[in-house]
Amino acid sequence: MNWIMRTLDREIKKHRTNNPFEIAKNRNIIIRYFPLGQTLGFYMKNVRHQVITINSDIEDYLKKFVCAHELGHAILHKDENTPFLHKNTLFSKDKIEREANEFAVHLLLHGENLEDYETKFDVLRENGIPLEMERYIFF
């Protein structure tokens, strides 16, 4: 089991839920909604406050996935400034995004019996996860 899955399991056990909104609330992470155009959401930490911003104009099912993805950043990369890292260091922004996607998919699918579905796309569609995340599902 990789470090992301260990971290995810700890969070779910600690908060007794896989709901990203509840976990964020329990961790005192501020969630706010603004119209963001093409941006789905983002995570930032200023001083001591962690903030997840979600595009208020997207569908509700997608808000849950975006919250889970940004919660992944809040937990896995809580002190990272990704634009700074991307431009000025060797640490890949793409790697950070992949880790947050993996966290989000597995958080939302925690407890799901994947054998009940015929395809990966059925799993994604039924759980409100974008189809592009199929690479993070293993049967």
PDB file of all heavy atoms in Angstrom, residues 32-52:
ATOM      1  N   ARG A  32     -15.120  27.543   0.343  1.00  0.00           N
ATOM      2  CA  ARG A  32     -15.864  28.690  -0.161  1.00  0.00           C
ATOM      3  C   ARG A  32     -16.173  28.474  -1.638  1.00  0.00           C
ATOM      4  O   ARG A  32     -15.499  27.691  -2.310  1.00  0.00           O
ATOM      5  CB  ARG A  32     -15.105  29.988   0.074  1.00  0.00           C
ATOM      6  CG  ARG A  32     -13.748  30.016  -0.569  1.00  0.00           C
ATOM      7  CD  ARG A  32     -12.938  31.192  -0.150  1.00  0.00           C
ATOM      8  NE  ARG A  32     -11.748  31.238  -0.997  1.00  0.00           N
ATOM      9  CZ  ARG A  32     -10.977  32.279  -1.135  1.00  0.00           C
ATOM     10  NH1 ARG A  32     -11.242  33.370  -0.466  1.00  0.00           N
ATOM     11  NH2 ARG A  32      -9.934  32.237  -1.922  1.00  0.00           N
ATOM     12  N   TYR A  33     -17.194  29.167  -2.125  1.00  0.00           N
ATOM     13  CA  TYR A  33     -17.676  29.010  -3.490  1.00  0.00           C
ATOM     14  C   TYR A  33     -17.665  30.361  -4.198  1.00  0.00           C
ATOM     15  O   TYR A  33     -18.182  31.346  -3.670  1.00  0.00           O
ATOM     16  CB  TYR A  33     -19.100  28.458  -3.484  1.00  0.00           C
ATOM     17  CG  TYR A  33     -19.206  27.101  -2.822  1.00  0.00           C
ATOM     18  CD1 TYR A  33     -19.403  27.003  -1.452  1.00  0.00           C
ATOM     19  CD2 TYR A  33     -19.087  25.941  -3.565  1.00  0.00           C
ATOM     20  CE1 TYR A  33     -19.499  25.759  -0.833  1.00  0.00           C
ATOM     21  CE2 TYR A  33     -19.175  24.687  -2.958  1.00  0.00           C
ATOM     22  CZ  TYR A  33     -19.381  24.617  -1.591  1.00  0.00           C
ATOM     23  OH  TYR A  33     -19.448  23.382  -0.982  1.00  0.00           O
ATOM     24  N   PHE A  34     -17.055  30.383  -5.376  1.00  0.00           N
ATOM     25  CA  PHE A  34     -17.023  31.583  -6.209  1.00  0.00           C
ATOM     26  C   PHE A  34     -17.123  31.162  -7.667  1.00  0.00           C
ATOM     27  O   PHE A  34     -16.664  30.072  -8.021  1.00  0.00           O
ATOM     28  CB  PHE A  34     -15.706  32.361  -6.033  1.00  0.00           C
ATOM     29  CG  PHE A  34     -15.543  33.009  -4.705  1.00  0.00           C
ATOM     30  CD1 PHE A  34     -14.641  32.508  -3.793  1.00  0.00           C
ATOM     31  CD2 PHE A  34     -16.281  34.131  -4.363  1.00  0.00           C
ATOM     32  CE1 PHE A  34     -14.471  33.099  -2.548  1.00  0.00           C
ATOM     33  CE2 PHE A  34     -16.119  34.730  -3.117  1.00  0.00           C
ATOM     34  CZ  PHE A  34     -15.206  34.212  -2.210  1.00  0.00           C
ATOM     35  N   PRO A  35     -17.657  32.018  -8.528  1.00  0.00           N
ATOM     36  CA  PRO A  35     -17.605  31.717  -9.958  1.00  0.00           C
ATOM     37  C   PRO A  35     -16.147  31.843 -10.418  1.00  0.00           C
ATOM     38  O   PRO A  35     -15.511  32.872 -10.199  1.00  0.00           O
ATOM     39  CB  PRO A  35     -18.496  32.779 -10.607  1.00  0.00           C
ATOM     40  CG  PRO A  35     -18.772  33.801  -9.555  1.00  0.00           C
ATOM     41  CD  PRO A  35     -18.399  33.232  -8.226  1.00  0.00           C
ATOM     42  N   LEU A  36     -15.617  30.781 -10.988  1.00  0.00           N
ATOM     43  CA  LEU A  36     -14.194  30.752 -11.350  1.00  0.00           C
ATOM     44  C   LEU A  36     -13.955  30.547 -12.841  1.00  0.00           C
ATOM     45  O   LEU A  36     -12.847  30.188 -13.243  1.00  0.00           O
ATOM     46  CB  LEU A  36     -13.482  29.634 -10.574  1.00  0.00           C
ATOM     47  CG  LEU A  36     -13.490  29.727  -9.050  1.00  0.00           C
ATOM     48  CD1 LEU A  36     -12.892  28.465  -8.442  1.00  0.00           C
ATOM     49  CD2 LEU A  36     -12.750  30.966  -8.571  1.00  0.00           C
ATOM     50  N   GLY A  37     -14.978  30.733 -13.646  1.00  0.00           N
ATOM     51  CA  GLY A  37     -14.808  30.531 -15.085  1.00  0.00           C
ATOM     52  C   GLY A  37     -14.499  29.079 -15.388  1.00  0.00           C
ATOM     53  O   GLY A  37     -15.227  28.180 -14.994  1.00  0.00           O
ATOM     54  N   GLN A  38     -13.394  28.839 -16.063  1.00  0.00           N
ATOM     55  CA  GLN A  38     -13.000  27.481 -16.460  1.00  0.00           C
ATOM     56  C   GLN A  38     -12.301  26.718 -15.344  1.00  0.00           C
ATOM     57  O   GLN A  38     -12.088  25.518 -15.446  1.00  0.00           O
ATOM     58  CB  GLN A  38     -12.079  27.543 -17.687  1.00  0.00           C
ATOM     59  CG  GLN A  38     -12.750  28.107 -18.914  1.00  0.00           C
ATOM     60  CD  GLN A  38     -13.936  27.273 -19.348  1.00  0.00           C
ATOM     61  OE1 GLN A  38     -13.852  26.060 -19.463  1.00  0.00           O
ATOM     62  NE2 GLN A  38     -15.070  27.924 -19.570  1.00  0.00           N
ATOM     63  N   THR A  39     -11.919  27.386 -14.270  1.00  0.00           N
ATOM     64  CA  THR A  39     -11.230  26.731 -13.153  1.00  0.00           C
ATOM     65  C   THR A  39     -12.258  26.028 -12.278  1.00  0.00           C
ATOM     66  O   THR A  39     -13.264  26.621 -11.880  1.00  0.00           O
ATOM     67  CB  THR A  39     -10.455  27.770 -12.323  1.00  0.00           C
ATOM     68  OG1 THR A  39      -9.520  28.429 -13.179  1.00  0.00           O
ATOM     69  CG2 THR A  39      -9.726  27.122 -11.168  1.00  0.00           C
ATOM     70  N   LEU A  40     -12.003  24.754 -11.987  1.00  0.00           N
ATOM     71  CA  LEU A  40     -12.940  23.985 -11.163  1.00  0.00           C
ATOM     72  C   LEU A  40     -12.788  24.301  -9.682  1.00  0.00           C
ATOM     73  O   LEU A  40     -13.762  24.302  -8.936  1.00  0.00           O
ATOM     74  CB  LEU A  40     -12.737  22.489 -11.394  1.00  0.00           C
ATOM     75  CG  LEU A  40     -13.007  21.997 -12.811  1.00  0.00           C
ATOM     76  CD1 LEU A  40     -12.685  20.517 -12.925  1.00  0.00           C
ATOM     77  CD2 LEU A  40     -14.449  22.274 -13.206  1.00  0.00           C
ATOM     78  N   GLY A  41     -11.563  24.550  -9.253  1.00  0.00           N
ATOM     79  CA  GLY A  41     -11.316  24.849  -7.853  1.00  0.00           C
ATOM     80  C   GLY A  41      -9.833  24.949  -7.589  1.00  0.00           C
ATOM     81  O   GLY A  41      -9.016  24.683  -8.472  1.00  0.00           O
ATOM     82  N   PHE A  42      -9.477  25.346  -6.373  1.00  0.00           N
ATOM     83  CA  PHE A  42      -8.077  25.395  -5.985  1.00  0.00           C
ATOM     84  C   PHE A  42      -7.953  25.353  -4.471  1.00  0.00           C
ATOM     85  O   PHE A  42      -8.907  25.620  -3.749  1.00  0.00           O
ATOM     86  CB  PHE A  42      -7.347  26.613  -6.577  1.00  0.00           C
ATOM     87  CG  PHE A  42      -7.919  27.944  -6.169  1.00  0.00           C
ATOM     88  CD1 PHE A  42      -7.460  28.590  -5.026  1.00  0.00           C
ATOM     89  CD2 PHE A  42      -8.910  28.556  -6.924  1.00  0.00           C
ATOM     90  CE1 PHE A  42      -7.978  29.823  -4.643  1.00  0.00           C
ATOM     91  CE2 PHE A  42      -9.430  29.792  -6.553  1.00  0.00           C
ATOM     92  CZ  PHE A  42      -8.960  30.421  -5.414  1.00  0.00           C
ATOM     93  N   TYR A  43      -6.751  25.014  -4.034  1.00  0.00           N
ATOM     94  CA  TYR A  43      -6.426  24.955  -2.608  1.00  0.00           C
ATOM     95  C   TYR A  43      -5.343  25.968  -2.327  1.00  0.00           C
ATOM     96  O   TYR A  43      -4.424  26.157  -3.140  1.00  0.00           O
ATOM     97  CB  TYR A  43      -5.925  23.552  -2.227  1.00  0.00           C
ATOM     98  CG  TYR A  43      -5.202  23.542  -0.897  1.00  0.00           C
ATOM     99  CD1 TYR A  43      -5.911  23.594   0.293  1.00  0.00           C
ATOM    100  CD2 TYR A  43      -3.822  23.512  -0.837  1.00  0.00           C
ATOM    101  CE1 TYR A  43      -5.260  23.617   1.513  1.00  0.00           C
ATOM    102  CE2 TYR A  43      -3.153  23.527   0.375  1.00  0.00           C
ATOM    103  CZ  TYR A  43      -3.877  23.585   1.548  1.00  0.00           C
ATOM    104  OH  TYR A  43      -3.231  23.610   2.755  1.00  0.00           O
ATOM    105  N   MET A  44      -5.437  26.616  -1.172  1.00  0.00           N
ATOM    106  CA  MET A  44      -4.350  27.514  -0.746  1.00  0.00           C
ATOM    107  C   MET A  44      -4.271  27.519   0.771  1.00  0.00           C
ATOM    108  O   MET A  44      -5.248  27.218   1.471  1.00  0.00           O
ATOM    109  CB  MET A  44      -4.553  28.932  -1.265  1.00  0.00           C
ATOM    110  CG  MET A  44      -5.777  29.617  -0.748  1.00  0.00           C
ATOM    111  SD  MET A  44      -5.917  31.265  -1.460  1.00  0.00           S
ATOM    112  CE  MET A  44      -6.376  32.170  -0.013  1.00  0.00           C
ATOM    113  N   LYS A  45      -3.102  27.833   1.234  1.00  0.00           N
ATOM    114  CA  LYS A  45      -2.899  27.995   2.665  1.00  0.00           C
ATOM    115  C   LYS A  45      -2.312  29.381   2.866  1.00  0.00           C
ATOM    116  O   LYS A  45      -1.292  29.726   2.281  1.00  0.00           O
ATOM    117  CB  LYS A  45      -1.944  26.924   3.203  1.00  0.00           C
ATOM    118  CG  LYS A  45      -1.730  27.043   4.698  1.00  0.00           C
ATOM    119  CD  LYS A  45      -0.847  25.945   5.225  1.00  0.00           C
ATOM    120  CE  LYS A  45      -0.667  26.096   6.723  1.00  0.00           C
ATOM    121  NZ  LYS A  45       0.281  25.130   7.251  1.00  0.00           N
ATOM    122  N   ASN A  46      -3.000  30.183   3.665  1.00  0.00           N
ATOM    123  CA  ASN A  46      -2.457  31.490   3.997  1.00  0.00           C
ATOM    124  C   ASN A  46      -2.310  31.574   5.506  1.00  0.00           C
ATOM    125  O   ASN A  46      -3.246  31.312   6.241  1.00  0.00           O
ATOM    126  CB  ASN A  46      -3.315  32.623   3.438  1.00  0.00           C
ATOM    127  CG  ASN A  46      -4.745  32.571   3.904  1.00  0.00           C
ATOM    128  OD1 ASN A  46      -5.121  31.718   4.698  1.00  0.00           O
ATOM    129  ND2 ASN A  46      -5.548  33.478   3.403  1.00  0.00           N
ATOM    130  N   VAL A  47      -1.149  31.871   5.939  1.00  0.00           N
ATOM    131  CA  VAL A  47      -0.771  31.909   7.336  1.00  0.00           C
ATOM    132  C   VAL A  47      -1.090  30.555   7.976  1.00  0.00           C
ATOM    133  O   VAL A  47      -0.368  29.607   7.775  1.00  0.00           O
ATOM    134  CB  VAL A  47      -1.418  33.090   8.093  1.00  0.00           C
ATOM    135  CG1 VAL A  47      -0.844  33.223   9.482  1.00  0.00           C
ATOM    136  CG2 VAL A  47      -1.252  34.398   7.338  1.00  0.00           C
ATOM    137  N   ARG A  48      -2.179  30.458   8.708  1.00  0.00           N
ATOM    138  CA  ARG A  48      -2.533  29.185   9.347  1.00  0.00           C
ATOM    139  C   ARG A  48      -3.833  28.600   8.836  1.00  0.00           C
ATOM    140  O   ARG A  48      -4.258  27.553   9.290  1.00  0.00           O
ATOM    141  CB  ARG A  48      -2.634  29.374  10.856  1.00  0.00           C
ATOM    142  CG  ARG A  48      -1.302  29.598  11.506  1.00  0.00           C
ATOM    143  CD  ARG A  48      -1.525  29.936  12.925  1.00  0.00           C
ATOM    144  NE  ARG A  48      -2.168  31.254  12.968  1.00  0.00           N
ATOM    145  CZ  ARG A  48      -2.110  32.081  13.978  1.00  0.00           C
ATOM    146  NH1 ARG A  48      -1.488  31.736  15.065  1.00  0.00           N
ATOM    147  NH2 ARG A  48      -2.685  33.253  13.925  1.00  0.00           N
ATOM    148  N   HIS A  49      -4.499  29.270   7.912  1.00  0.00           N
ATOM    149  CA  HIS A  49      -5.800  28.815   7.441  1.00  0.00           C
ATOM    150  C   HIS A  49      -5.676  28.089   6.112  1.00  0.00           C
ATOM    151  O   HIS A  49      -5.065  28.589   5.176  1.00  0.00           O
ATOM    152  CB  HIS A  49      -6.767  29.991   7.284  1.00  0.00           C
ATOM    153  CG  HIS A  49      -7.001  30.722   8.564  1.00  0.00           C
ATOM    154  ND1 HIS A  49      -7.657  30.168   9.633  1.00  0.00           N
ATOM    155  CD2 HIS A  49      -6.647  31.970   8.938  1.00  0.00           C
ATOM    156  CE1 HIS A  49      -7.704  31.036  10.617  1.00  0.00           C
ATOM    157  NE2 HIS A  49      -7.090  32.143  10.233  1.00  0.00           N
ATOM    158  N   GLN A  50      -6.290  26.905   6.062  1.00  0.00           N
ATOM    159  CA  GLN A  50      -6.363  26.159   4.814  1.00  0.00           C
ATOM    160  C   GLN A  50      -7.716  26.467   4.182  1.00  0.00           C
ATOM    161  O   GLN A  50      -8.748  26.463   4.862  1.00  0.00           O
ATOM    162  CB  GLN A  50      -6.242  24.659   5.066  1.00  0.00           C
ATOM    163  CG  GLN A  50      -4.851  24.254   5.538  1.00  0.00           C
ATOM    164  CD  GLN A  50      -4.795  22.765   5.802  1.00  0.00           C
ATOM    165  OE1 GLN A  50      -5.413  22.294   6.742  1.00  0.00           O
ATOM    166  NE2 GLN A  50      -4.062  22.045   4.969  1.00  0.00           N
ATOM    167  N   VAL A  51      -7.702  26.735   2.883  1.00  0.00           N
ATOM    168  CA  VAL A  51      -8.919  27.147   2.182  1.00  0.00           C
ATOM    169  C   VAL A  51      -9.053  26.361   0.883  1.00  0.00           C
ATOM    170  O   VAL A  51      -8.113  26.284   0.098  1.00  0.00           O
ATOM    171  CB  VAL A  51      -8.893  28.659   1.860  1.00  0.00           C
ATOM    172  CG1 VAL A  51     -10.163  29.072   1.124  1.00  0.00           C
ATOM    173  CG2 VAL A  51      -8.696  29.486   3.117  1.00  0.00           C
ATOM    174  N   ILE A  52     -10.237  25.792   0.683  1.00  0.00           N
ATOM    175  CA  ILE A  52     -10.588  25.158  -0.584  1.00  0.00           C
ATOM    176  C   ILE A  52     -11.623  26.058  -1.242  1.00  0.00           C
ATOM    177  O   ILE A  52     -12.644  26.395  -0.637  1.00  0.00           O
ATOM    178  CB  ILE A  52     -11.175  23.749  -0.366  1.00  0.00           C
ATOM    179  CG1 ILE A  52     -10.097  22.794   0.148  1.00  0.00           C
ATOM    180  CG2 ILE A  52     -11.809  23.228  -1.661  1.00  0.00           C
ATOM    181  CD1 ILE A  52     -10.623  21.424   0.555  1.00  0.00           C
TER     182      ILE A  52
END
